[in-house]
């Protein structure tokens, strides 16, 4: 574990190079950038701001687990490879752990559990990097990043300055944040401070966790047993991007008001939905897509996963257009049967014209 605050001299050695990005996105879409840089040191951020001024657009790429990349990415691409993980504070109510943006999210979860800094176990095995986690406020099995986030350090690219943001400043919502709503290329997340509550309390409300045989078998749950259960459940349902290209859930679970929900429930008694604190309902998009008969089906080289209809997969050689054609076909079917609009969860990057 290295200390993030170790002083590093500023270096201006950023030389954009052409790069094949096919291996840099978990959907495995064939994609190419004509100008790409890798950010390994905080001292390179000022040079990045300068470079960004000379390009029409800037795409910040972490683990590429939540993007649909076009064949040719326009402008400049910056891959974030900042590393480091350390405990920075031991508060009475929380361990404060700082992780650099380029660390793999799951490695940070594993390392924290190994150190006894519990609280991230429900978020195990989410693909992607630490820097991408706040952008879409990653969440799974009853916990969202927003529940465990102390603050974010982010570089404001046009303003050429480092900004410290509290969790409130990040304006987190379901799979949404100030970073996701900002103009692409405005912010580069440098590091994230996690607040892991003391004393630790298990979060076991999610139906899949309640059903897990390993967890319900007697002994009180620990962060480790929950971590293992979440890994088991995810491996059983969700395809591993190393084996088959995918970006996790391709659509967000849509939110509808109570009247629309009640109307749908009257017509479709099997509807899967969850009431929210504001009285609206979140519908299980996987169920809607499944009911339209899409599970396991394909359109050319893009397909719908056979165990989770919310996940679109690259069956080999798919390009962004193939995935988006499939996504549009699914959106049309769900709209015509249920009158519900599905919004993609990944960021869909526009191609070079
Ligand atoms: N369902 C079906 N058919 C399917 C898939 C789901 O009928 O093919 C129904 C089932 O009844 C199931 C319900 O939908 O009980 C909900 O499915 P699941 O528990 O698998 O969760 P989800 O709503 O599909 C969300 C997140 C996942 C996260 C899980 C667990 C979104 C868009 N997705 O999926 O996040 O892992 O809950 O918390 O919110 C991701 O964002 O990439 C992701 C995988």
């Amino acid at each position: 574990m290295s200390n993030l605050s170790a002083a590093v001299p500023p270096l201006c050695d950023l030389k954009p190079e052409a790069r094949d990005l096919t291996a840099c996105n978990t959907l495995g879409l064939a994609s190419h950038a004509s100008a790409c840089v890798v950010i390994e040191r905080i001292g390179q951020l000022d040079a990045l701001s300068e470079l960004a001024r000379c390009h029409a657009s800037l795409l910040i790429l972490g683990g590429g687990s939540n993007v649909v990349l076009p064949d040719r990415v326009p402008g400049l691409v910056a891959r974030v490879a900042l590393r480091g993980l350390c405990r920075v504070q031991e508060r009475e109510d929380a361990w404060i752990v700082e992780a650099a943006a380029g660390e793999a999210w799951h490695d940070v979860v594993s390392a924290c559990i190994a150190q006894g800094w519990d609280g991230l176990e429900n978020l195990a095995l989410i693909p992607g990097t630490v820097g991408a986690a706040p952008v879409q406020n990653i969440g799974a099995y009853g916990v969202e990043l927003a529940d465990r986030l102390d603050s974010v350090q982010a570089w404001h690219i046009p303003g050429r300055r480092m900004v410290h943001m509290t969790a409130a400043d990040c304006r987190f919502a379901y799979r949404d944040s100030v970073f996701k709503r900002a103009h692409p290329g405005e912010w580069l997340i440098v590091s994230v401070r996690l607040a892991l509550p003391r004393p630790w309390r298990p979060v076991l409300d999610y139906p899949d966790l309640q059903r897990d045989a390993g967890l319900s078998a007697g002994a009180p749950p620990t962060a480790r047993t929950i971590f293992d259960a979440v890994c088991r459940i995810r491996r059983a349902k969700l395809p591993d991007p190393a084996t088959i290209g995918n970006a996790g859930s391709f659509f967000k679970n849509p939110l509808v008001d109570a009247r629309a929900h009640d109307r749908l429930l009257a017509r479709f008694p099997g509807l899967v939905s969850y009431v929210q604190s504001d009285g609206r309902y979140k519908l299980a998009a996987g169920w809607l897509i499944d009911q339209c008969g899409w599970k396991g089906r394909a359109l050319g080289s893009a397909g719908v996963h056979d165990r989770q209809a919310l996940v679109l997969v690259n069956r080999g050689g798919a390009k962004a257009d193939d995935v988006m054609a499939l996504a549009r076909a699914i959106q049309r079917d769900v709209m015509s049967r249920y009158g519900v609009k599905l919004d993609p969860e990944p960021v869909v990057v526009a191609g070079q014209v």
Side-chain angles (χ1 to χ4, degrees):
M1 277 187 289
S2 60
N3 193 324
L4 293 181
S5 56
V8 181
L11 291 172
C12 298
D13 54 353
L14 283 182
K15 291 201 175 43
E17 287 175 359
R19 182 162 184 150
D20 186 341
L21 298 177
T22 311
C24 306
N25 71 100
T26 62
L27 264 163
L29 303 176
S31 180
H32 190 268
S34 53
C36 182
V37 291
V38 180
I39 304 296
E40 292 168 313
R41 294 179 293 275
I42 288 174
Q44 294 172 311
L45 293 173
D46 205 45
L48 175 66
S49 286
E50 187 58 36
L51 264 182
R53 278 166 21 111
C54 316
H55 288 83
S57 62
L58 168 63
L59 172 69
I60 309 288
L61 203 54
S65 61
N66 208 43
V67 281
V68 179
L69 292 184
D71 307 4
R72 289 167 60 79
V73 181
L76 179 67
V77 175
R79 299 200 64 217
V80 182
L82 299 162
R83 308 302 299 266
L85 172 66
C86 59
R87 193 181 74 192
V88 290
Q89 210 186 338
E90 186 180 336
R91 279 196 337 225
E92 210 160 282
D93 62 335
W95 302 113
I96 306 296
V97 174
E98 185 169 292
E103 294 289 338
W105 173 259
H106 179 71
D107 293 349
V108 167
V109 175
S110 298
C112 288
I113 304 273
Q115 294 285 333
W117 308 330
D118 298 338
L120 298 177
E121 53 283 349
N122 295 52
L123 302 175
L125 268 193
I126 297 183
T129 55
V130 165
V135 177
Q136 62 148 351
N137 183 21
I138 57 170
Y141 304 104
V143 176
E144 284 185 340
L145 181 73
D147 304 323
R148 298 287 181 267
L149 188 113
D150 174 70
S151 56
V152 169
Q153 198 184 13
W155 179 255
H156 189 251
I157 292 162
R160 301 174 91 131
R161 67 199 158 93
M162 198 68 89
V163 179
H164 177 89
M165 291 188 186
T166 63
D169 295 334
C170 296
R171 308 259 175 90
F172 288 123
Y174 168 59
R175 295 296 192 275
D176 200 19
S177 71
V178 78
F179 306 109
K180 196 157 177 183
R181 290 189 289 267
H183 189 266
E186 185 171 354
W187 293 100
L188 183 146
I189 292 172
V190 169
S191 62
V192 166
R193 283 192 175 194
L194 301 157
L196 308 177
R198 301 169 70 195
W200 172 80
R201 277 191 204 89
V203 179
L204 295 168
D205 313 323
Y206 203 85
D208 277 352
L209 286 176
Q210 286 176 7
R211 279 194 291 266
D212 184 86
L215 275 180
S216 46
T222 64
R224 167 65 59 187
T225 59
I226 297 172
F227 172 89
D228 290 341
V230 168
C231 291
R232 260 194 309 276
I233 295 165
R234 288 188 75 98
R235 288 197 174 108
K237 267 193 182 178
L238 297 166
D240 178 355
T243 318
I244 179 155
N246 76 90
S249 300
F250 196 88
F251 298 102
K252 294 193 232 182
N253 285 330
L255 284 162
V256 297
D257 63 32
R259 270 183 58 198
H261 170 264
D262 295 349
R263 269 200 310 270
L264 277 170
L265 190 61
R267 282 185 62 204
F268 305 100
L271 185 78
V272 180
S273 62
Y274 313 93
V275 69
Q276 305 296 291
S277 53
D278 61 4
R280 290 189 297 170
Y281 284 80
K282 197 185 262 183
L283 307 180
W287 184 87
L288 300 172
I289 299 167
D290 197 352
Q291 294 295 306
C292 288
W294 275 106
K295 194 152 145 180
R297 269 178 66 194
L299 207 58
S301 47
V304 179
H305 187 51
D306 54 6
R307 275 170 283 149
Q308 166 56 286
L310 204 44
V311 177
L312 303 194
V313 297
N314 178 353
R315 299 169 78 232
K319 293 185 165 194
D321 286 350
D322 303 310
V323 172
M324 294 314 293
L326 174 61
R328 280 192 297 272
I330 293 171
Q331 285 169 316
R332 269 196 305 273
D333 279 4
V334 170
M335 176 54 83
S336 81
R337 190 174 159 117
Y338 298 101
V340 172
K341 181 170 176 282
L342 290 185
D343 290 322
E345 195 189 274
V347 174
V348 181
V349 179
Q352 197 158 316
V353 282

